[in-house]
Amino acid sequence: MPNAVRMSPLIGLPLSLLAGVAIPSQARVNGALGERLDDGLAAALVSFLVGLVVMVGISLALPRGRAGAGQLIPALRERRFPRYYVLAGMIGGYFVLSQTLTVAVLGVAVFTVAAVAGQTLTGLVVDRLGIGPAGKKALTVMRVVGAVLTIAAVAWAVSPKLGAGGEPSEWLLPVLLPLTAGMLMSFQQAMNGTTGMHYGTPITATLVNFISGTVLLAVMWGIKVAVSGPGNPLPGEWWLYLGGPLGCIFIGVGALLVRSLGVLLTSLGLIGGQLIGSLLLDIVFPAPGSVVVAATVLGTLLTLLAIVLATLPWNMPGGGPFRRRGSRTPAKASRQRPQ
């Protein structure tokens, strides 16, 4: 497996927070585009298409992008990773589909809690199994506490809006869609991190994501058009097409960081960034009817605390309290290795 440059959490976590801010911004832009088109699925497809054009341009313009693209076919031919990893972008398509089908029933708040819960919990599983490029991460007490605390914090942050989901009997089944979509997001980050490492750059991993995601959304949109017809024509405002570039930032930074931070910590940073971005948008550019309340602010701060708890030094591999008795730390193992 190729050597990868490891990034310190002191650098990686702020980057993940900034990348997470791109998601609520993207949601706001794509939401506005969906309203103008009267077709949320078409808005998602346009977003992916613009992102694909951006990534093709970056891949052609940058030497590292060209080099990574040149590694795509050899990596698949030599089976450096499971070939189905190139379909990771379809998970993003499934996430969009679950949003399209359930947000009207659940409300954004319940959708967010379900997706974040799934993403955080499977982040623990993916790290424990060593699916991502960072290898196996110790299941320490504080990593578990950080994950559980993140779920509780997000639930607290969106609690003022939970009433939008209706009676439990109405959203118990629909909530499974965002829950499973969130679970798959952790696997997507692990797959992107692995493929990006073998391509030699996250640029190519992001490009392949947009290719597979665009194909899936195009098929879904074609079925939708055949059933109910197209929506409105494309609007002229340039800012309505920023969703794709924002998605490039989110996917690319996630693929870059997961090799150093692991899936769980990358997910926690991205979640914290999403909450911070949503809070800033509601304060600076509030949507009609949105109100910033104390629970939202405090829940966001609690999420940041959970990220800090999950990244403190006691979570170093081999030093967690869940380590089996008799196992040696890396330092002791190196001293006892035969010469």
Side-chain angles (χ1 to χ4, degrees), residues 16-17 120 146-147 150 263-273 303 306-307 310:
S16 67
L17 289 171
T120 305
T150 298
V263 175
L264 175 62
L265 298 187
T266 300
S267 297
L268 292 180
L270 294 174
I271 290 167
T303 302
I307 296 171

Side-chain angles (χ1 to χ4, degrees), residues 241-292:
Y241 302 96
L242 292 177
L246 290 169
C248 293
I249 295 173
F250 180 80
I251 296 173
V253 173
L256 174 66
L257 295 180
V258 73
R259 70 179 68 174
S260 298
L261 303 183
V263 175
L264 175 62
L265 298 187
T266 300
S267 297
L268 292 180
L270 294 174
I271 290 167
Q274 290 176 54
L275 289 178
I276 292 173
S278 299
L279 184 61
L280 291 176
L281 280 175
D282 284 343
I283 293 174
V284 181
F285 302 107
S290 64
V291 179
V292 177

Side-chain angles (χ1 to χ4, degrees), residues 91 118-124 126 181-191 258 263-264 267:
I91 294 176
Q119 185 178 358
T120 305
L121 292 175
T122 52
L124 285 171
V126 170
M183 289 179 174
L184 290 173
M185 289 295 286
S186 292
F187 288 93
Q188 182 192 33
Q189 289 173 356
M191 294 158 72
V258 73
V263 175
L264 175 62
S267 297

Side-chain angles (χ1 to χ4, degrees), residues 313-326:
W314 53 59
N315 290 293
M316 294 298 291
F322 288 176
R323 183 166 52 89
R324 289 179 299 178
R325 292 182 180 179

Side-chain angles (χ1 to χ4, degrees), residues 29-40:
V29 170
N30 286 345
L33 179 60
E35 289 181 1
R36 295 292 297 275
L37 295 176
D38 192 26
D39 187 341

Side-chain angles (χ1 to χ4, degrees), residues 81-139:
F81 50 80
R83 290 179 176 176
Y84 64 85
Y85 276 25
V86 299
L87 302 179
M90 291 188 174
I91 294 176
Y94 175 67
F95 188 89
V96 172
L97 176 62
S98 69
Q99 188 180 44
T100 303
L101 295 177
T102 64
V103 163
V105 177
L106 302 175
V108 176
V110 177
F111 180 92
T112 301
V113 170
V116 166
Q119 185 178 358
T120 305
L121 292 175
T122 52
L124 285 171
V125 176
V126 170
D127 274 347
R128 186 71 184 100
L129 295 177
I131 296 175
K136 291 186 178 181
K137 294 283 187 177
L139 190 62

